[in-house]
């Protein structure tokens, strides 16, 4: 308790010192490039809306596509570098409009609809609505030969407001998401007969699940402020998350961002609080079903010195974790970063050391692996140490590159596995072994090496190309493998403007081998007999998606999309294959 008191006193002192010098200057929005510009609808391919700025002929920036339509892409526990690609204008400049409507229909009984609308009546305020629906009612073939229903439904509604206040931007977003699906998977073998019976209650096979998440995000920032300018901003997030299986979560995060020039260098501070409460989950202490909550106080003070060509940041990250039925914990990690650009805009070299506390709250795990057991227990992770470095720059005025590497030491990393047990019933003799087709969670310490290479070619006239490749190496403390984590992955995006009216693009996703685990209870009456561990190898995943868009008029266009064109029914999770080749086509209207 004395050590914790010292930590609390130190952080409180640092916060008070910087806050007392910081004038309140509205802040926080580094995601939006331009908020006073009216919405200009441009019709693109079927699965994304390009709302990024036009590419300057002299620069090769890295705008990011926001993908809405997905052909059941790889869903994994590792973080894939977001796909970078450049936008392609498919038509000459057109009159500014209010929005865009899309509608389509595809194989696997797949309807799709999406609408974007902006209110442009105010010079300093933009109000908009975005809504999307995508569903499928088809079936898939499991590895054991069974054809099973694998429906899914994705619904999204977003209301957003952007308002300029002098040089700052206030952003308010209200979102509601509803995702529904089935626990349709079963690994390796044919589905056992007991699971095919109506209303079976052995496990979740064939059971419907739904995630509903509604929340608000408030953000204040001055995106044009320079590093040597005083600044104050904040972000507030709150959402409510619920499942069909009756788990409920309330989550909130409040973060303040402060920056103040000092006699030498600049003082930086990010500080705030995060809270999560979840009910109807397994409590690790007594394995009972109940409610738990956690509160995390954090402060990240730092000192920045230098300029755009060469700079160093020195700081400390601190967290205080208060959790139900557990002792208060204090976590510390260094924050050191150095940047040097020996050749301006051509080469930048960077390196650093840091760490991060990872709050494994309920919805984070649920979205990471939707087929996890609904009442799974929770445990937070800590990246105690991360050493990273690399360089990036330009090979030409239209080609940029990045090469980087990092080595991280993590504690309590969540890994997923399945259980297998004998089912004893008088109707079945001998008793069959049945796999629980939802994943359980185990936690283990892990050291991970990651190497990354990226290249982007951005041409404003004809072709855009981006490639990202990652290599991973893992060292586990207790487990023999990093279950469900790949040794490599890659993404390739290519866009080509055939004519003024026709544009085509392709996205390729590659995932390396992954190891999966089933733990079988021995069924022996001898207590010393250990469970039997069965390891399986998931084949590499290859997913090719082709898209085309043809502009009929300034307002109308048609699109087509071929998903999983490699005809590989790979498993996004062990026992859960994706839909094979499928197509989607439709029409878009700009107004």
């Amino acid at each position: 308790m004395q050590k914790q008191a010292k930590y609390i006193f130190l952080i409180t002192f640092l916060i008070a010192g910087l806050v007392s010098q910081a004038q309140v200057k509205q802040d926080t929005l580094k995601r939006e490039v331009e908020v006073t510009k009216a919405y200009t609808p441009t019709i693109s391919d079927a699965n994304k809306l390009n709302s990024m700025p036009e590419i300057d002929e002299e620069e090769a920036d890295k705008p990011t596509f926001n993908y809405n339509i997905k052909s059941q892409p790889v869903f994994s526990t590792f973080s894939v570098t977001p796909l970078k690609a450049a936008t392609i204008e498919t038509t000459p400049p057109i009159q500014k409009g209010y929005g865009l409507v899309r509608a389509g229909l595809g194989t696997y009984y797949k309807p799709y609809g999406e609408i974007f609308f902006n209110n442009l009546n105010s010079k300093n305020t933009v109000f908009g609505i975005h809504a999307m629906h995508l569903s499928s009612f088809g079936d898939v073939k499991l590895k054991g030969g069974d054809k099973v229903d694998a429906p899914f439904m994705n619904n999204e509604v977003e209301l957003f407001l952007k308002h300029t206040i002098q040089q700052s931007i206030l952003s308010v977003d209200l979102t509601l998401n509803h995702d529904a699906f089935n626990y349709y998977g079963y690994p390796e073998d044919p589905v056992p007969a007991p699971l095919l019976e109506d209303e079976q209650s052995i496990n979740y096979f064939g059971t419907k699940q739904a995630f509903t998440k509604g929340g608000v995000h408030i953000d204040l920032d001055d995106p044009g402020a320079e590093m040597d300018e005083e600044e104050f901003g904040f972000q507030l997030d709150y959402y409510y998350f619920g499942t069909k299986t009756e788990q409920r979560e309330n989550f909130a995060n409040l973060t303040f961002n402060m920056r103040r020039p000092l006699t030498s260098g600049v003082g930086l501070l990010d500080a705030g609080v995060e809270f999560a409460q979840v009910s109807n989950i397994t409590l690790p202490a007594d394995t009972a079903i109940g409610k738990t909550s956690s509160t995390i106080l954090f402060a990240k003070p730092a000192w920045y010195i230098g300029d755009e060509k060469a700079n160093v940041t020195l700081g400390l990250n601190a967290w205080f974790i208060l959790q139900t039925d557990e002792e208060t914990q204090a976590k510390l990690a260094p924050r050191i970063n150095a940047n040097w650009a020996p050749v301006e805009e051509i080469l930048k070299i960077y390196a650093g050391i840091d760490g991060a506390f990872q709050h494994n709250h309920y919805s984070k795990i649920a979205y990471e692996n939707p087929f996890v057991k609904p009442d799974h227990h929770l445990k937070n992770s800590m990246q105690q140490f991360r050493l990273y470095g690399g360089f990036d720059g330009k090979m030409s005025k239209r080609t940029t590159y990045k090469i980087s590497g990092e080595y991280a030491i993590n504690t309590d990393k969540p890994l997923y596995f399945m259980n297998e047990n004998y089912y004893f019933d008088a109707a079945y003799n001998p008793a069959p072994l049945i796999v629980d087709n939802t994943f359980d969670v185990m936690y283990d310490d892990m050291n991970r090496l990651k190497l990354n290479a990226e290249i982007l070619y951005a041409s404003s006239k004809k072709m855009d190309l981006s490639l990202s490749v990652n290599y991973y190496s893992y060292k586990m403390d207790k487990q023999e493998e990093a279950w469900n984590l790949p040794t490599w992955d890659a993404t390739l995006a290519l866009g080509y403007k055939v004519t003024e009216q026709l544009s085509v693009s392709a996205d390729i996703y590659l995932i390396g081998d992954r190891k999966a685990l089933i733990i079988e209870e021995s069924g022996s009456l001898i207590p010393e007999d250990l469970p039997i561990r069965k390891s399986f190898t998931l084949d590499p995943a290859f997913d090719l998606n082709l898209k085309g868009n043809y502009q009929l008029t300034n307002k109308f266009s048609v699109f087509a999309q071929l998903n999983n064109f490699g005809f590989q029914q790979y498993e996004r999770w062990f026992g859960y294959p994706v839909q094979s080749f499928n197509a989607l086509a439709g029409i878009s209207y700009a107004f």
Side-chain angles (χ1 to χ4, degrees):
M1 292 299 296
Q2 290 180 350
K3 291 183 178 179
Q4 294 171 5
K6 291 180 181 178
Y7 291 143
I8 295 173
F9 177 78
L10 174 62
I11 298 304
T12 304
F13 178 78
L14 290 172
I15 294 174
L18 283 176
V19 171
S20 64
Q21 301 180 57
Q23 296 177 356
V24 176
K25 183 178 180 181
Q26 290 95 333
D27 181 71
T28 294
L29 164 61
K30 296 187 171 56
R31 297 177 300 139
E32 296 298 326
V33 177
E34 189 171 358
V35 298
T36 59
K37 181 179 177 181
Y39 172 72
T40 304
T42 56
I43 313 298
S44 62
D45 55 71
N47 78 327
K48 54 185 177 292
L49 174 69
N50 294 324
S51 57
M52 303 305 297
E54 293 182 358
I55 298 173
D56 184 13
E57 187 71 17
E58 299 299 322
E59 298 292 335
D61 297 328
K62 292 186 178 182
T64 302
F65 283 149
N66 293 319
Y67 286 87
N68 290 320
I69 297 181
K70 301 179 183 179
S71 57
Q72 298 284 63
V74 173
F75 207 121
S76 187
T77 58
F78 58 92
S79 57
V80 181
T81 302
L83 182 63
K84 309 284 195 309
T87 60
I88 299 180
E89 295 293 337
T90 59
T91 62
I94 60 177
Q95 184 179 359
K96 294 182 175 72
Y98 285 96
L100 179 69
V101 177
R102 293 189 181 126
L105 189 65
T107 56
Y108 287 89
Y109 308 99
K110 184 180 294 180
Y112 158 70
E114 192 163 16
I115 183 171
F116 299 82
F117 172 77
N118 282 354
N119 181 359
L120 312 174
N121 294 328
S122 173
K123 179 180 178 181
N124 296 323
T125 303
V126 175
F127 169 77
I129 299 173
H130 167 234
M132 189 272 291
H133 169 84
L134 176 68
S135 58
S136 174
F137 302 94
D139 54 24
V140 299
K141 187 176 182 180
L142 301 180
K143 200 167 184 179
D146 297 276
K147 274 195 171 183
V148 295
D149 293 332
F152 69 86
M153 180 183 298
N154 303 126
N155 297 290
E156 177 183 348
V157 178
E158 178 185 11
L159 285 74
F160 61 88
L161 172 71
K162 311 289 182 187
H163 180 69
T164 56
I165 305 173
Q166 295 180 350
Q167 297 180 358
S168 297
I169 299 172
L170 174 66
S171 171
V172 180
D173 293 271
L174 300 174
T175 58
L176 177 64
N177 296 277
H178 180 76
D179 303 314
F181 57 93
N182 269 16
Y183 294 107
Y184 64 88
Y186 195 84
E188 298 296 307
D189 300 323
V191 179
L195 296 185
L196 299 176
E197 296 180 356
D198 293 337
E199 299 181 358
Q200 65 85 19
S201 57
I202 301 170
N203 61 28
Y204 284 94
F205 180 79
T207 302
K208 292 180 172 60
Q209 178 63 290
F211 295 162
T212 301
K213 181 180 179 181
V216 58
H217 171 79
I218 302 175
D219 193 300
L220 185 67
D221 186 25
D222 179 2
E226 300 293 337
M227 177 59 77
D228 58 355
E229 294 180 344
E230 188 173 304
E231 188 178 9
F232 176 88
F234 73 90
Q235 304 95 43
L236 172 64
D237 288 279
Y238 169 79
Y239 66 75
Y240 171 82
F241 176 84
T243 70
K244 186 179 178 65
T245 48
E246 300 184 351
Q247 283 72 38
R248 303 290 183 264
E249 180 182 56
N250 286 281
F251 176 90
N253 179 288
L254 176 61
T255 302
F256 295 99
N257 312 112
M258 289 159 274
R259 183 169 70 232
R260 181 175 176 82
L262 305 174
T263 304
S264 176
V266 180
L268 309 172
L269 176 64
D270 293 341
V273 59
E274 185 167 292
F275 172 80
Q277 182 184 73
V278 61
S279 61
N280 202 26
I281 66 167
T282 301
L283 304 178
D286 52 12
T287 67
I289 301 297
K291 178 189 295 185
T292 185
S293 63
S294 57
T295 302
I296 296 100
L297 306 173
F298 57 90
K300 302 175 182 179
W303 178 54
Y304 171 93
I305 186 170
D307 52 29
E308 292 185 359
K309 184 175 181 179
N311 58 74
V312 175
T313 301
L314 302 174
L316 179 72
N317 298 336
W319 301 266
F320 295 95
I321 304 99
L322 299 88
Q323 194 157 342
T324 306
D325 299 329
E326 292 189 13
E327 293 184 0
T328 301
Q329 300 181 60
K331 304 286 186 181
L332 298 174
R335 181 184 175 187
I336 303 172
N337 177 264
N339 297 277
W340 179 45
V343 185
E344 188 175 359
E345 296 187 357
I346 301 299
L347 175 64
K348 184 181 77 173
I349 303 171
Y350 63 93
I353 300 172
D354 63 11
F357 174 77
Q358 295 161 349
H359 187 190
N360 294 325
H361 52 88
Y362 185 84
S363 57
K364 176 181 180 291
I365 298 295
Y367 280 122
E368 184 175 84
N369 182 352
F371 306 112
V372 72
K373 187 180 298 183
D375 60 354
H376 65 272
H377 70 286
L378 300 173
K379 190 175 184 180
N380 295 319
S381 306
M382 181 68 189
Q383 188 178 81
Q384 293 181 320
F385 176 86
R386 182 176 71 116
L387 173 65
Y388 64 91
F391 55 92
D392 57 35
K394 293 183 179 180
M395 301 173 65
S396 69
K397 65 181 181 180
R398 294 192 181 96
T399 306
T400 63
Y401 67 92
K402 175 186 173 184
I403 297 176
S404 64
E406 67 175 48
Y407 182 78
I409 299 175
N410 303 274
T411 60
D412 295 321
K413 177 72 176 176
L415 302 170
Y416 303 97
F417 70 100
M418 287 180 167
N419 285 300
E420 185 177 33
N421 293 279
Y422 284 97
Y423 176 65
F424 295 99
D425 189 284
Y428 298 95
N429 189 19
L433 268 171
I434 295 181
V435 178
D436 186 349
N437 78 325
T438 53
F439 290 84
D440 210 339
V441 187
M442 65 171 64
Y443 295 87
D444 194 16
D445 298 344
M446 179 180 76
N447 298 350
R448 189 190 75 164
L449 171 68
K450 175 185 176 182
L451 303 177
N452 167 258
E454 296 182 41
I455 188 169
L456 168 69
Y457 173 76
S459 168
S460 61
K461 292 184 178 180
K462 280 289 185 182
M463 186 179 74
D464 302 298
L465 179 147
S466 67
L467 172 66
S468 175
V469 179
N470 297 298
Y471 167 79
Y472 308 92
S473 177
Y474 311 96
K475 182 181 179 182
M476 309 304 299
D477 180 33
K478 298 177 181 178
Q479 299 300 313
E480 57 269 30
E481 299 284 351
W483 305 116
N484 293 289
L485 299 179
T487 54
W488 62 271
D489 63 72
T491 60
L492 172 66
L494 175 66
Y496 185 70
K497 185 177 179 181
V498 182
T499 67
E500 290 299 317
Q501 289 75 37
L502 177 63
S503 64
V504 296
S505 62
D507 298 320
I508 300 175
Y509 305 89
L510 298 166
I511 307 296
D513 292 348
R514 291 163 287 157
K515 295 290 186 179
L517 173 67
I518 294 178
I519 297 181
E520 175 197 331
E521 295 300 328
S522 64
S524 171
L525 298 178
I526 303 175
E528 290 77 13
D529 285 355
L530 298 176
I532 301 171
R533 299 168 66 89
K534 302 177 181 179
S535 176
F536 300 85
T537 300
L538 278 65
D539 295 331
F542 170 71
D543 194 331
L544 169 63
N545 302 306
L546 303 176
K547 289 150 285 198
N549 188 86
Y550 187 80
Q551 191 78 33
L552 299 173
T553 69
N554 282 345
K555 292 184 178 294
F556 284 98
S557 70
V558 293
F559 61 81
Q561 178 171 327
L562 304 178
N563 300 315
N564 202 354
F565 201 58
F567 294 87
Q568 185 190 20
Q569 205 168 4
Y570 59 86
E571 295 176 290
R572 52 174 171 165
W573 285 99
F574 186 41
Y576 285 86
V578 302
Q579 294 175 350
S580 186
F581 170 76
N582 61 95
L584 178 71
I587 189 168
S588 300
Y589 173 69
F591 59 92

